Every structure is written in structure tokens, then in C-alpha cells.
Amino acid sequence: MDVIRFQDAQCAHCYKCLRNCDVKAIRINDGQAQIVRDKCIFCGHCMEICPQKAKTLESDLDYVKQMLMRKEKVVVSLDPSYCGLISSATPKKIIDALLKLGFTDVRETSEGAALVTKEYVRLINEGQMENIIISHCPAIVYLIEKHYPALIPSLAPVVSPMIAHGRLIKEQMGAHVKVVFIGPCVAKKMEAEDDRATAGAVDAVIEFNELEQWLEEEGIDLEACEEREFDNPDPMVNRLYPVPTGIVRAVNAVGAQSNYINMSVSSIKSCRELFHIMKQGYLSGVFAEVSLCAGGCVNGPGVNKSRGFRFKSAISIEKHACLKDPEFDFALSPDRMTRGFTPMQVIDTIPSESQIRRILKTIGRSNSDTEFNCGACGYATCREKAIAIYQGKAEPDMCLIRTYENTKSMAHVVMENMPSIVMIADHNLKILEFNRQAERVFSTNRREARKTYLFDYIETAEFEEVCRTHEPKIRFKKKWDFYNMTVIETIVYLEDSDNILAIIEDITAEEEQEEKLMFRKLNSIRMAQDVIDKQMMTAQKIAGLLGETTAETKATLTQLREYMLEDEGI
């Protein structure tokens, strides 16, 4: 099952998820981020930090709604971090709201935590484990199974409070009952549905964010709900599980007696540092309360971080937790409270030194002086990036510095080799950029030109107008008499930088050629007119002569005709 999905169309080559993934469970393929399942610990942090919202959670909400529509018996296991995280002044109003949604019963997951605490206390009192890493956080379990399998013997072989509670509810209310866990954690979905060691105890998982959206869709106002009590006994100190040191205080309240040193660690960076030194054998006799989320479960990925409610939640949990051991008269059998763990580490192939150097060279990092190690691509060093490229998890063009250098280089080549004058100036017309053609025309070099202004070289009325109006001047023809040039000016305002760009094309030669062509045309027209005039004069003369001879011919023929008629007596 894929708990977290990436939407390719929205991934924007930012690599923010990769930079923030401590276990590098993300590969980049054709510019798109993809989950590397055999390395992912399903912490959900990539979903939180994605600026494009390209990562989404595979939701169980529709499945839960269908169960309720079918009138099935569905019980909520509510994570104790609801105190403060759900936006209501009175936390227990959430119980009434959930009942209005159609749930049969609402119980605290802390009820299962009470059973888990007793198992931790048993392990502490037995003292058989060199170190005890508590296993209530599924993301921590996946982190150890996939990245620190040598520490599996140190993982407390105990199910999480969610699993213990789900099994307890089904044992007390019947196997047909559906259990829905509601909390702040993404990894709980994997634990509930895809982990063979724990599957079946819980039927669905909903995040607090999803719950609040659901309540809004149904028009349920928390403040208008009644305040109700949970149907389960008060779990007392076990409500502290979501906050730092909460589990340590719980085992102490129950009466753990041992020589273990208690330690509370949160955030993946701190946990990895602890696991590293523990793997090296530098720690012994430690009871380690570890949480992957900095600040504990109240800072999980399934809550709205923008409201800053985690501090409110921590205080609320402290206020509602009685620091005593609850007197529960129920328990689960040992086999239902214990679990095993499976090493799942996948060892990637490491390239040889020559292969690494060859890859580094292809991304423009031919020696140590050119290895910037900026981390923008998501890898701490260029060398790590090269190894990731070899392993098919990264791409050469992920290097932002190289992309910038290539882009800058190509832009420079284009600008320098353009036959037109290219200049960039600020709103005061101070020259910022000056290409090679401009150097030729204005008989100066770029360095000196950048100390001067446009009006030191040319008339700037059009430039000033563009600066003032921000409207471009496109292909504006102008005579530069001082330089004996005719030019076409294109002046554009650059909004992002408040500068102006000028591309000026020298058309002097074309203009001269046009003038010569026009002269030839006019001369040809004049010559043609002369020929026409001469032809007309000739025609007129011929016409005059023809007119005279015609008249004479007519008179002669008329006289001849008359003579002939007379002879015939006609």
C-alpha cells in the first residue's frame, strides 16, 4: 500500500522534499519526485514541507463514511493529543461531535497505552535487555528495521498503544466491531493496514486534519456540541504519551525498578544520532523514549501546524493527566501485547572511486575545488549526489549551480555574439550590461561603460518614457546623427528588476542600400518618361504629316471621281 502519493504534474523541481528527508527515501526521475518504498519510514514530513502540495495521503475517510452509512458498529480510538490540537475551548466536546458523525462509541487510545506501559515496566524490571528503545512510534520502528537493523534486539517487543487498544476493543465488544484510530500520525496507517505484525487490530486511520474538514462539511460546530465523558476508565498518567518525557513519567508512576538510565529524544536527527552511537556500542543501560516528530506526537504531520496548537496541546495534556497509575481490571494476553520486528535494510551498490570521479566530471565537478557541496539538490555533498546518480536515485541536472552556470554561460554567449547592440540600464539609466557590439559602436569597453549612463552616448527620450510608463517601445526607427547611423530601437521595461533592456539594430547599410535603390528607380522612371515624351512628339509629327497627305489624297480622288462620272454621263 502506498500511504503517501506524489502528483507528478505538480512537482516543481525544487527538491525540498529530498533536502528534508533524512533517510533519502525519495528518488528524482525525469524531474519528478518518487517514494523509494524500501527506505521510506512513512513519517509524512515530505507532505508537510512540499510547497506545491504534490504529496497527498491515501485517505481512509471515504471507507469510514461507508461503514457508518451501513450502520456498522464503529468505535473511535482517539489519540490523547486531541487535547489542544482540535480547535475547541473544551476538548471533550469532540466526543459529542464524533457521536453526531455516527460513531457508536468514543474511547481514548491512552486506554491501550496503559497496557503498553505495564509491558515496558515488565521489561525494565526484568533487566534482560542491554538497552530498551520503546516502540510506540511506528516511524521509529520502520527507521530501525530499514536503516538500523542491528538495533532490533534493543526495540521493546511490545505493540503500540493504538494496536493494543484496537485489540482490547475487539476483545471486549466483539470481533465484528470496527475500530477507527484518529490522531496526528501518518505512519499509523502503515502500522494498521500494511504491517503484518500488527494488521487487523485497527480498521482505518484518520488524521486530525481530515476530521476537522469532515466536521466542517457536515456543519458540526464543536463549540455548539455538548461536553461528554469517555466511556473508558481514566487512563491517568498514560495520557502523557504524546509529549516528551511522557512515557518515562508513565513507567515511573507505575513503579519501574531498575538501573536503566531514562532518556527522552525527539526529532529524526536526534534519534539517528542516538541510534548511531548506540550501534557503535557507546551506550548501555538506557531506556530510550524516542519520537520521530520534534516535540512528540503533538507535532505530528496530521495536524494544522499554522495554528501553533502543539504548545497548547502539550499544556492541555499535562493539565488533564493525573500522574498516577490507573487501576484497570482488564488486560490482554501476553501474545497479544508482544510483537516481533523484521530487518528490511536494502544495501545500495556503491560505485568505485573511478566511477564516482567520472560522474562528478559529467556534472562539472572535475576536482575538489569545484565541489561546492551546497546541498541545494538534497544531498549534503557533490560526492553523495554522484553516488545517488549511479544508484538511479538522482539526475545530473539536479545541480542548481551547474544549471545556473550553464544558463548564464549560454545567455552570455548569445548576448556577446548578437549583431545588435544590447544594453541593460537601471531606472536612472545607469548602464548595467553592455555587449560586444555596443563596445564597437561606442568605442569603449564593458567595464568603463558600466560606470557611465546611457545619456553619455545617445539621446534617451524614449528610454526615459519607457522608465516612466513601463510601456515598451517596439522597433522604433531613429537617426543617430553623431554616429552616422540609422537604428531600430526596441526598449522593454523589466518589471522584476525595475530595469530596462534595449536591443538596438543598426540598419544604416540597409538604409543606404534602400536610398540607392530608390535613386535607381527614380532615374529609371525619369528616363522612361523622357522616352515617352519623345515618342509622343514623334507621334504627333507623324499624325500632322499624315493629316496633310490625307487631305490632298482625298481632294485628288474626289476630283478624279467627278471626271469619271462626267465621262460616263452620269
Side-chain angles (χ1 to χ4, degrees):
M1 181 183 72
D2 293 324
V3 171
I4 303 171
R5 294 184 181 274
F6 283 21
Q7 299 179 36
D8 287 353
Q10 295 183 28
C11 197
H13 299 267
C14 71
Y15 314 125
K16 191 173 183 180
C17 56
L18 184 56
R19 286 195 299 274
N20 286 272
C21 182
D22 283 80
V23 295
K24 295 294 176 276
I26 294 172
R27 74 161 54 89
I28 305 299
N29 183 18
D30 195 20
Q32 303 291 327
Q34 300 173 347
I35 291 286
V36 181
R37 185 180 172 87
D38 56 18
K39 293 188 179 297
C40 183
I41 58 177
F42 309 105
C43 63
H45 291 164
C46 60
M47 294 172 53
E48 291 184 282
I49 53 86
C50 179
Q52 302 297 321
K53 306 301 180 186
K55 288 82 177 171
T56 59
L57 179 71
E58 184 68 20
S59 178
D60 285 344
L61 194 55
D62 288 339
Y63 173 57
V64 173
K65 289 178 180 179
Q66 290 171 12
M67 288 192 292
L68 296 177
M69 288 178 62
R70 293 194 298 265
K71 303 298 182 182
E72 294 187 54
K73 197 169 186 179
V74 186
V75 178
V76 170
S77 174
L78 187 61
D79 189 275
S81 57
Y82 78 91
C83 286
L85 290 183
I86 300 294
S87 53
S88 172
T90 310
K92 289 186 180 179
K93 288 185 176 183
I94 189 61
I95 302 171
D96 189 41
L98 289 168
L99 293 175
K100 286 181 177 179
L101 287 174
F103 291 102
T104 306
D105 201 354
V106 182
R107 298 170 67 167
E108 293 178 273
T109 313
S110 301
E111 191 178 14
L115 302 178
V116 172
T117 299
K118 294 186 182 298
E119 289 299 307
Y120 289 155
V121 170
R122 177 182 63 79
L123 292 173
I124 291 171
N125 290 341
E126 288 176 356
Q128 298 298 310
M129 299 174 67
E130 181 181 4
N131 294 303
I132 301 176
I133 302 172
I134 64 171
S135 52
H136 80 297
C137 173
I140 288 292
V141 171
Y142 296 133
L143 178 62
I144 291 177
E145 287 183 325
K146 294 183 178 184
H147 300 276
Y148 298 92
L151 296 182
I152 285 179
S154 295
L155 266 176
V158 182
V159 298
S160 71
M162 179 189 76
I163 298 302
H165 198 216
R167 289 175 177 174
L168 177 66
I169 291 171
K170 289 178 181 287
E171 186 170 295
Q172 291 180 340
M173 303 181 69
H176 66 286
V177 171
K178 304 296 184 181
V179 178
V180 175
F181 173 81
I182 303 178
C185 183
V186 170
K188 289 291 186 186
K189 282 185 62 63
M190 288 298 296
E191 182 185 24
E193 301 172 29
D194 205 52
D195 192 324
R196 288 178 297 177
T198 52
V202 173
D203 299 282
V205 173
I206 296 176
E207 290 182 330
F208 284 139
N209 283 334
E210 294 178 293
L211 174 61
E212 293 202 83
Q213 182 180 350
W214 187 11
L215 291 173
E216 185 177 345
E217 290 172 357
E218 295 296 329
I220 298 175
D221 181 7
L222 274 174
E223 296 306 326
C225 292
E226 297 179 24
E227 185 174 359
R228 295 177 179 268
E229 294 296 326
F230 289 101
D231 288 334
N232 54 265
D234 189 342
M236 296 190 175
V237 71
N238 296 288
R239 287 199 177 104
L240 294 175
Y241 265 61
V243 298
T245 74
I247 300 174
V248 167
R249 283 183 284 170
V251 296
N252 288 338
V254 173
Q257 303 292 327
S258 76
N259 294 321
Y260 284 99
I261 299 171
N262 294 328
M263 180 180 293
S264 182
V265 176
S266 67
S267 88
I268 185 170
K269 293 185 186 298
S270 298
C271 289
R272 292 194 70 187
E273 184 179 355
L274 172 66
F275 295 161
H276 180 72
I277 62 172
M278 192 176 284
K279 185 176 70 172
Q280 300 300 317
Y282 296 137
L283 289 182
S284 182
V286 171
F287 177 77
E289 173 188 338
V290 287
S291 176
L292 201 79
C293 297
C297 300
V298 291
N299 196 35
V303 297
N304 187 342
K305 301 291 182 64
S306 63
R307 299 181 302 198
F309 278 9
R310 69 185 179 101
F311 303 106
K312 175 185 174 183
S313 179
I315 294 172
S316 181
I317 289 171
E318 295 280 357
K319 287 170 59 178
H320 287 83
C322 179
L323 302 183
K324 292 182 180 179
D325 178 21
E327 297 180 359
F328 285 174
D329 58 357
F330 54 80
L332 288 173
S333 60
D335 64 302
R336 308 208 70 196
M337 287 300 300
T338 59
R339 64 159 298 178
F341 305 100
T342 305
M344 293 188 288
Q345 186 175 29
V346 175
I347 305 298
D348 293 318
T349 304
I350 302 297
S352 66
E353 184 62 27
S354 62
Q355 289 172 320
I356 293 174
R357 298 312 311 172
R358 186 158 54 250
I359 294 172
L360 284 169
K361 190 173 182 180
T362 64
I363 60 175
R365 305 290 168 249
S366 56
N367 55 62
S368 58
D369 293 336
T370 59
E371 293 178 24
F372 295 105
N373 301 326
C374 65
C377 65
Y379 293 94
T381 66
C382 296
R383 185 181 180 85
E384 287 183 21
K385 157 79 173 298
I387 294 172
I389 291 173
Y390 177 85
Q391 294 168 346
K393 295 187 290 186
E395 297 176 322
D397 59 5
M398 287 169 57
C399 180
L400 299 186
I401 291 179
R402 178 177 179 240
T403 301
Y404 170 75
E405 289 173 342
N406 288 345
T407 303
K408 183 178 179 182
S409 175
M410 286 186 285
H412 179 75
V413 168
V414 171
M415 182 174 176
E416 286 302 293
N417 290 279
M418 280 189 70
S420 300
I421 297 169
V422 180
M423 297 184 290
I424 298 176
D426 64 16
H427 61 281
N428 293 319
L429 302 187
K430 187 176 188 301
I431 294 173
L432 304 176
E433 284 298 338
F434 204 74
N435 78 336
R436 193 173 297 161
Q437 181 64 8
E439 290 179 330
R440 295 190 189 103
V441 171
F442 299 120
S443 301
T444 187
N445 59 55
R446 178 173 175 272
R447 180 185 300 175
E448 294 301 319
R450 293 181 67 184
K451 300 176 184 177
T452 60
Y453 294 80
L454 285 177
F455 48 72
D456 291 323
Y457 303 95
I458 57 176
E459 293 180 3
T460 57
E462 293 81 15
F463 293 84
E464 292 169 10
E465 183 181 346
V466 171
C467 282
R468 185 176 64 257
T469 65
H470 297 176
E471 293 296 326
K473 289 277 188 180
I474 307 296
R475 297 192 64 78
F476 180 81
K477 188 174 179 180
K478 190 171 182 180
K479 291 282 288 186
W480 284 0
D481 294 330
F482 183 79
Y483 299 98
N484 296 316
M485 291 174 61
T486 303
V487 297
I488 296 290
E489 295 180 352
T490 295
I491 309 169
V492 180
Y493 175 70
L494 305 176
E495 185 175 357
D496 291 343
S497 58
D498 192 28
N499 296 325
I500 55 173
L501 166 67
I503 301 175
I504 302 168
E505 183 182 355
D506 181 6
I507 61 168
T508 305
E510 289 87 339
E511 286 288 294
E512 292 176 352
Q513 185 65 26
E514 187 70 24
E515 288 181 6
K516 291 178 181 178
L517 182 60
M518 181 60 69
F519 176 79
R520 292 194 191 101
K521 287 180 179 178
L522 292 173
N523 192 47
S524 297
I525 292 172
R526 183 182 58 78
M527 293 174 64
Q529 188 63 49
D530 289 344
V531 171
I532 292 170
D533 292 343
K534 289 179 180 179
Q535 290 291 332
M536 289 300 296
M537 290 176 64
T538 302
Q540 289 175 357
K541 289 179 180 180
I542 293 171
L545 292 171
L546 287 173
E548 292 177 4
T549 56
T550 300
E552 291 176 356
T553 302
K554 179 179 180 182
T556 301
L557 291 174
T558 301
Q559 188 177 6
L560 178 63
R561 174 176 172 272
E562 290 176 352
Y563 289 156
M564 291 177 69
L565 289 173
E566 287 178 1
D567 291 341
E568 295 294 329
I570 300 174

